[in-house]
Amino acid sequence: MQHSQLLQQLRTLRVPGMVEALEQQFTQPGTHSDLSFEERLGLMIDRETTHRSNNKVDRLLKAAKLKLQAHPEDIDYTHPRGLDKGVFASLLSGQWIEQHQNVLLTGPTGCGKTYLGCVLATQACRQGYSVRYFRSSRLLDMLAIAHGDGRFAKIINQIAKTDLLVLDDWGLEKLSLGQRNDVLELMEDRHGSRSTLITSQVPIAQWHDAIGDATLADAILDRLIHNAHRLTLKGESMRRARSAIAEAK
């Protein structure tokens, strides 16, 4: 069989990674001539596996709609904000998602909460988990609109099936009655079966007041906090610090 025919058959079978690997073997015969059939086939299978894995991660990242492109290898551990490298490395393992636990990231403006949340979300996508990012106020607005146009149940079900829900800027405004009910439904669906990551400028001790109703606050926080990893950041705004350094140059 001609090389071109063989490559076309592989394209028809939709195995582009194997196509790339075989093309490489054809164009670099000296590199592969000493390999056995099984070894050359293994290289093709490895390339296809890698190709599919990368495509899956790309799809998950696109669906996540993260606010920032943030990668574990780019984290600045030198800034004095109270980020424990060992603790964060443990979270990057993804075990907390596998065990359906939560992460609560709190601290002042500019300390990198959103960035670190997106780092954990990116890592989750790399590990094959589905992720959705929302700014908390926009999610609540979307749910309020969905009540009126009949999409509420569909959206809630979609979020309930997502492995990791990221809620950014939580607690900036006191919740209305409708919002409290929506948040409770979200947390009830996810409790013990999915993970939630929350970033907030508001200390956890003040979340009860931010929710605004004692009974519903107890119910919501019980589902969020008791099974959560808490990261409390501190210190000067990283944005201000970097701006000052740039101006000094």
Side-chain angles (χ1 to χ4, degrees), residues 21 37 39 46 61-63 74 81 103 123 132 143 155 167 169 175 177 183 185 188 190 199 233-234:
F37 170 78
E39 288 171 329
D46 287 344
L61 285 170
K62 184 177 180 179
D74 296 331
R81 53 177 167 173
V103 168
Q123 184 72 351
R132 280 301 308 273
L143 293 177
I155 293 174
L167 295 178
D169 280 336
L175 301 182
L177 175 59
V183 171
E185 187 157 354
E188 177 64 29
R190 303 185 62 76
T199 76
L233 304 180
K234 59 185 180 181

Side-chain angles (χ1 to χ4, degrees), residues 132-242:
R132 280 301 308 273
Y133 167 95
F134 293 98
R135 196 166 187 273
S136 297
S137 59
R138 291 179 182 173
L139 173 60
L140 293 173
D141 288 345
M142 183 178 73
L143 293 177
I145 294 171
H147 278 291
D149 62 21
R151 295 181 299 118
F152 181 79
K154 180 180 178 181
I155 293 174
I156 285 288
N157 288 335
Q158 289 174 342
I159 295 174
K161 295 175 182 177
T162 302
D163 295 318
L164 174 61
L165 171 64
V166 180
L167 295 178
D168 198 13
D169 280 336
W170 164 264
L172 295 182
E173 298 178 356
K174 184 171 290 189
L175 301 182
S176 68
L177 175 59
Q179 290 172 334
R180 289 192 287 267
N181 288 328
D182 288 347
V183 171
L184 178 58
E185 187 157 354
L186 279 172
M187 295 304 112
E188 177 64 29
D189 285 344
R190 303 185 62 76
H191 180 59
S193 62
R194 298 290 189 273
S195 294
T196 302
L197 187 156
I198 289 182
T199 76
S200 179
Q201 299 177 34
V202 181
I204 294 174
Q206 298 177 22
W207 287 9
H208 197 279
D209 292 338
I211 293 172
D213 177 275
T215 302
L216 290 178
D218 287 342
I220 291 169
L221 295 180
D222 178 66
R223 288 158 177 77
L224 267 178
I225 293 176
H226 91 280
N227 198 24
H229 301 267
R230 305 186 191 189
L231 278 70
T232 304
L233 304 180
K234 59 185 180 181
E236 179 186 2
S237 167
M238 296 181 71
R239 288 192 288 268
R240 285 198 296 267
R242 287 169 179 166

Side-chain angles (χ1 to χ4, degrees), residues 25-34:
Q25 292 183 23
F26 287 154
T27 58
Q28 301 175 7
T31 305
H32 302 87
S33 59
D34 294 335

Side-chain angles (χ1 to χ4, degrees), residues 2-36:
Q2 295 293 323
H3 290 175
S4 59
Q5 291 177 311
L6 183 57
L7 290 170
Q8 185 56 47
Q9 285 186 342
L10 289 176
R11 292 189 183 98
T12 302
L13 292 172
R14 298 182 180 178
V15 283
M18 295 186 74
V19 171
E20 292 173 3
L22 187 57
E23 284 179 325
Q24 184 178 11
Q25 292 183 23
F26 287 154
T27 58
Q28 301 175 7
T31 305
H32 302 87
S33 59
D34 294 335
L35 300 179
S36 67

Side-chain angles (χ1 to χ4, degrees), residues 36-101:
S36 67
F37 170 78
E38 289 81 3
E39 288 171 329
R40 295 179 67 168
L41 179 60
L43 290 174
M44 293 170 60
I45 293 173
D46 287 344
R47 182 74 70 86
E48 180 63 27
T49 300
T50 300
H51 183 85
R52 293 190 181 199
S53 177
N54 290 341
N55 279 352
K56 180 180 180 181
V57 172
D58 289 343
R59 289 195 302 272
L60 290 171
L61 285 170
K62 184 177 180 179
K65 299 181 180 179
L66 300 179
K67 180 178 181 178
L68 301 172
Q69 291 187 359
H71 309 289
E73 53 271 21
D74 296 331
I75 297 174
D76 181 2
Y77 289 104
T78 63
H79 188 83
R81 53 177 167 173
L83 179 63
D84 187 297
K85 189 173 184 178
V87 170
F88 204 76
S90 176
L91 292 175
L92 287 171
S93 73
Q95 189 174 20
W96 62 284
I97 302 176
E98 182 181 347
Q99 297 176 351
H100 312 309
Q101 298 171 345

